Amino acid sequence: MTVVAPTFDLVVAANRLPVDLVFDADGKSTWQRSPGGLVAAMDPVMRGRDAAWVGWAGEPGPAPEPFSDGMHLQQVALSPTEVQEYYEGFSNGTLWPIYHDVIVQASFHRTWWNTYRTVNNRFAMAIAKVAAPCATVWVHDYQLQLVPAMLRALRPDLRIGWFDHIPFPPVELFAQLPWRRALVEGLLGADFLGFQRTADAENFLRVCGQLLGMATKGDTVTFTPSGKDLADGRTVRVGAIPISVDFQGLDALARTPPVVARAAEIRACLGDPKILLLGVDRLDYTKGIRHRLKAYLELLQDKAISSPEVTLMLVALPSREHIDAYRQLREEVDGTVGRINGKYSAMGSPAVQYLHQAFSREEMAAMFLAADVMLVTPLRDGMNLVAKEYVACRHDLGGALVLSEFAGAWHELHQAFICNPHDIEGLKQAIMRAIDIPEDERRRRMKALRKLVAAHDVYWWANSYLEALASAPDRPHRATRAGNEERRVAERANTLNRRASDRASEGEGSEEHRLLADVGKPPG
Ligand code: F6P
């Protein structure tokens, strides 16, 4: 008897499954939630749907059998060499630096590229197997940019979308990639390509038009694969749909008595500081952790703050530990934290509480609720969902968010305290403003931030994306007048905030801060 494999009308494909296979010291395996924003966002959207998720289980070796965990999980196996060349190599040693402003140098190796192609092809075949006729397939992120065209060649009946969770680089940086045309042609196998910010979508369109001489018009690219007739040309739409968080789920979690109690306990464990600063990131050089520590150290040295009245809780989730740049970052962060603590900690009250571990959702919600100031200071970040998670957990309207203008989240969260993390003086001032903010302004800012994240949560994002994919290459709907007004208010806040931050760095008093507090307030 032949067993027919199940097929699904919705298939999601990402480098990682939502759960990772992890082995303990005795070689016993368990499943654990995967790291990163992609899984945090997609998991609530996918749970309970009759859908499949195709991905890697996070360990080299043969793929475990498919299983069900709120959805059908279909694993793609990677050999140890493929993990090195496709995941650590091409994805995170070539693409990741190029897509993040070359904060560290990118490496180009033809062997890595060949393995990237092989693995993308394996993903395409795995998706083709589980996709029902005319199914919708949603491919995610930079690790799988060749999948759309490979999949279309196997299954022309499918509706295929791709979403870029990280920034899409400007032409000048993308042009460095020896495989730039193949990557773009891989993406253009999709019907719709989604990006975090309008600037990312525009960068992609410029790469198509200016660098590769393709026909672009408005937000579309028309592309004819080589060897095909012009009549076989396809039009692909490109758009910005910023990812978000499960606002209601996090809000509800942060209101539960155990989380509220744990938040108080965290503060007590740290010696009950008057002000608790918090940073939560994967330990990645894009996150501006060095800059944050430098600003914090200088504030202590300047005596603008002092320990134990102020404590910094630094949660750095282990990430990509086999890659040199990540190892080096870890050594630097370990060393800097050690130096700060050696000089400024008091018995029972660390100046920096450093945690290099992953935590449960409950524990994270408690940390967010405990922190007076959240420091989100990336040098470049597609979105940064931690900023939105913090806002979603602050049902008490407490807390203030310091946010880098280089995080995608900044393009929505204009009531945060803007910072340019390269400008250490400016970053210090942003932290001090967030610490010293009057109670009523803090509440007003947090209220505005929460309103925005609540209205544009992860379900809004997924539905908007799937609607755009269903109607591509046409647009699903027009922007409403209310939407335009919201955008106008946000743009005004953005301009004032940026100007205020620049002037504050230059040492001037700030009229803009006063004006900013009024943006979006009802007239009168
Ligand atoms: O969003 C960027 C991203 O690479 C995701 O694709 C991924 O889930 C997350 O960061 C974590 O990275 P990694 O899978 O390399 O641990």
Side-chain angles (χ1 to χ4, degrees):
M1 195 181 75
T2 46
V3 182
V4 181
T7 60
F8 299 85
D9 291 330
L10 175 63
V11 180
V12 160
N15 172 55
R16 277 183 196 271
L17 289 172
V19 281
D20 270 352
L21 191 59
V22 288
F23 292 93
D24 65 16
D26 308 325
K28 223 178 106 229
S29 67
T30 44
W31 291 96
Q32 186 178 288
R33 187 186 169 100
S34 306
L38 188 161
V39 166
M42 285 304 288
D43 203 34
V45 171
M46 291 292 285
R47 279 206 179 267
R49 285 203 196 214
D50 185 23
W53 184 315
V54 176
W56 170 52
E59 279 289 326
E65 284 301 303
F67 67 103
S68 192
D69 176 25
M71 69 199 102
H72 177 87
L73 299 181
Q74 182 79 36
Q75 283 115 88
V76 173
L78 297 184
S79 69
T81 308
E82 286 168 344
V83 172
Q84 276 169 17
E85 297 187 349
Y86 147 78
Y87 170 69
E88 291 161 5
F90 197 76
S91 298
N92 291 312
T94 307
L95 295 173
W96 184 266
I98 291 279
Y99 285 40
H100 289 88
D101 292 357
V102 201
I103 296 165
V104 305
Q105 221 184 329
S107 306
F108 304 107
H109 297 293
R110 282 161 285 183
T111 46
W112 290 3
W113 163 248
N114 288 336
T115 308
Y116 182 82
R117 268 202 318 217
T118 305
V119 172
N120 270 240
N121 198 40
R122 190 172 307 147
F123 267 86
M125 290 195 300
I127 299 165
K129 258 197 212 146
V130 293
C134 301
T136 295
V137 176
W138 190 356
V139 182
H140 291 262
D141 236 354
Y142 61 101
Q143 301 95 340
L144 303 180
Q145 291 179 86
L146 303 179
V147 167
M150 288 173 165
L151 183 58
R152 186 163 299 284
L154 293 168
R155 291 284 306 273
D157 59 304
L158 300 175
R159 184 141 280 261
I160 305 170
W162 177 81
F163 186 81
D164 185 19
H165 290 255
I166 66 174
F168 195 86
V171 178
E172 295 75 10
L173 291 180
F174 190 80
Q176 290 185 21
L177 287 163
W179 309 280
R180 60 204 190 182
R181 184 174 289 276
L183 285 164
V184 170
E185 291 186 1
L187 290 174
L188 291 175
D191 295 287
F192 176 66
L193 299 171
F195 295 87
Q196 301 279 24
R197 302 172 309 150
T198 307
D200 298 312
E202 287 171 353
N203 283 348
F204 179 77
L205 287 166
R206 269 195 290 271
V207 161
C208 293
Q210 290 173 17
L211 185 69
L212 303 176
M214 295 173 171
T216 60
K217 188 170 173 210
D219 54 6
T220 61
V221 187
T222 300
F223 168 64
T224 311
S226 56
K228 298 258 181 182
D229 292 341
L230 272 185
D232 294 328
R234 297 178 52 255
T235 296
V236 180
R237 198 168 86 79
V238 168
I241 307 182
I243 198 169
S244 194
V245 297
D246 176 10
F247 180 88
Q248 279 189 3
L250 285 166
D251 174 76
L253 178 65
R255 288 175 195 267
T256 56
V259 168
V260 174
R262 178 68 189 143
E265 204 175 280
I266 288 172
R267 291 188 77 107
C269 287
L270 296 171
D272 261 323
K274 248 170 65 200
I275 302 288
L276 179 59
L277 310 177
L278 173 66
V280 176
D281 314 85
R282 277 186 311 103
L283 189 51
D284 194 303
Y285 52 80
T286 59
K287 304 290 184 184
I289 299 171
R290 291 184 182 109
H291 300 65
R292 195 183 306 159
L293 283 172
K294 189 169 171 54
Y296 182 63
L297 173 60
E298 286 193 15
L299 286 172
L300 288 166
Q301 287 167 337
D302 299 348
K303 299 196 171 42
I305 57 173
S306 62
S307 170
E309 282 80 30
V310 178
T311 294
L312 168 63
M313 183 150 75
L314 190 68
V315 180
L317 313 171
S319 186
R320 304 177 189 166
E321 293 183 298
H322 298 293
I323 302 177
D324 280 349
Y326 289 77
R327 279 209 202 108
Q328 204 184 320
L329 173 67
R330 176 159 184 206
E331 279 168 24
E332 273 183 51
V333 171
D334 288 1
T336 310
V337 169
R339 277 192 296 279
I340 299 177
N341 275 340
K343 179 140 192 207
Y344 292 100
S345 290
M347 202 75 88
S349 333
V352 183
Q353 176 66 60
Y354 175 43
L355 298 158
H356 183 244
Q357 313 155 33
F359 291 96
S360 67
R361 272 181 90 227
E362 289 73 13
E363 184 71 0
M364 293 307 317
M367 289 181 190
F368 291 142
L369 204 51
D372 301 296
V373 178
M374 180 81 214
L375 304 176
V376 178
T377 59
L379 307 179
R380 180 58 71 197
D381 209 337
M383 173 53 60
N384 198 295
L385 289 180
V386 167
K388 291 186 175 180
E389 285 171 351
Y390 179 67
V391 166
C393 287
R394 295 316 301 244
H395 51 81
D396 58 347
L397 303 186
L401 176 63
V402 172
L403 181 57
S404 161
E405 60 181 290
F406 305 116
W410 168 249
H411 294 260
E412 297 170 86
L413 303 183
H414 296 304
Q415 301 289 339
F417 292 86
I418 188 177
C419 70
N420 166 4
H422 298 283
D423 169 10
I424 298 296
E425 211 47 58
L427 176 54
K428 284 159 65 181
Q429 293 187 23
I431 295 172
M432 290 314 295
R433 283 203 304 279
I435 290 178
D436 292 336
I437 184 176
E439 168 79 6
D440 59 339
E441 191 191 338
R442 177 154 47 81
R443 291 176 70 83
R444 194 163 59 236
R445 283 188 185 236
M446 187 51 76
K447 204 167 171 185
L449 291 170
R450 282 174 59 79
K451 193 170 159 207
L452 192 130
V453 180
H456 296 99
D457 67 358
V458 76
Y459 299 101
W460 167 88
W461 168 73
N463 291 335
S464 308
Y465 184 92
L466 291 171
E467 271 174 33
L469 174 56
S471 56
D474 296 327
R475 283 161 169 261
H477 49 70
R478 280 158 176 270
T480 60
R481 281 178 59 191
N484 287 337
E485 173 60 14
E486 227 173 60
R487 198 164 311 125
R488 197 191 56 71
V489 169
E491 272 162 16
R492 169 140 174 79
N494 186 12
T495 311
L496 286 171
N497 215 335
R498 197 186 291 261
R499 225 187 286 154
S501 151
D502 289 346
R503 285 172 50 128
S505 284
E506 287 156 14
E508 290 176 35
S510 171
E511 165 70 358
E512 285 86 357
H513 276 127
R514 198 185 53 69
L515 291 172
L516 181 64
D518 290 337
V519 174
K521 263 200 219 163

